[in-house]
Amino acid sequence: MAIKKATIQQQVAEAIAQINPADRPIVTIQAIAGPSVWLMSMLGLIGQMFLTYYFVTVTEQAVVLHKASRMSNRPQEIVFAIPPAQAVGAVTEIKRNAVWSSFRFQLPGQERPTRMNVHRLWRNEMDQLLGLLTAQQQPVA
């Protein structure tokens, strides 16, 4: 099971390279989509059914969301590959908290934005990712 951020980021980079060898990741985070992680943890296994684990990666060519395996914490299939022009501005309601921060991300085909919960271990990467998606910074080419 991948636990270290560097290992997880390498696995995601390899998964992206298999699909598009010309693309390069800029920043990757692990996010849990769904209601509050705290609330779902209190509900036990039933609460876990309402959560979806993702790796969100900004690359040179797109914003890529991989499903994350709950057992091995490895990237699985790509669920969304969003063009940069469509992804910029798709983030709303950014909330930074002591342990779990969150933001809402408008995914293609979804009526409402999806809440993405990010653990504090990924806070620096989340800040970089949000900076890119809210057009505060420009991706380094």
Side-chain angles (χ1 to χ4, degrees):
M1 177 190 314
I3 297 175
K4 291 184 176 181
K5 276 198 303 189
T7 304
I8 291 169
Q9 291 166 331
Q10 180 63 35
Q11 291 172 348
V12 171
E14 290 169 1
I16 289 170
Q18 288 178 353
I19 301 297
N20 184 357
D23 205 2
R24 184 180 68 84
I26 297 170
V27 62
T28 298
I29 65 168
Q30 185 171 33
I32 302 173
S36 166
V37 177
W38 295 113
L39 176 63
M40 294 300 104
S41 294
M42 286 190 283
L43 296 175
L45 290 174
I46 293 172
Q48 291 298 308
M49 293 173 49
F50 293 98
L51 301 174
T52 306
Y53 291 70
Y54 289 111
F55 295 113
V56 182
T57 305
V58 174
T59 71
E60 293 174 339
Q61 300 176 7
V63 176
V64 179
L65 276 80
H66 282 93
K67 269 203 170 177
S69 168
R70 290 182 189 219
M71 299 303 272
S72 67
N73 206 31
R74 294 182 61 93
Q76 295 180 320
E77 72 275 3
I78 291 176
V79 182
F80 298 103
I82 306 165
Q86 183 181 347
V88 170
V91 172
T92 59
E93 295 183 46
I94 299 168
K95 295 180 183 174
R96 287 179 178 77
N97 294 311
V99 180
W100 287 99
S101 297
S102 67
F103 61 92
R104 304 241 179 219
F105 191 58
Q106 183 63 55
L107 298 172
Q110 302 292 324
E111 191 174 311
R112 297 183 339 179
T114 300
R115 179 181 167 139
M116 297 287 184
N117 301 289
V118 181
H119 192 272
R120 72 176 166 203
L121 294 173
W122 295 93
R123 175 94 33 88
N124 292 336
E125 290 82 0
M126 181 191 81
D127 289 341
Q128 184 181 358
L129 181 134
L130 293 175
L132 293 169
L133 295 181
T134 57
Q136 294 173 3
Q137 301 175 24
Q138 293 300 316
V140 178

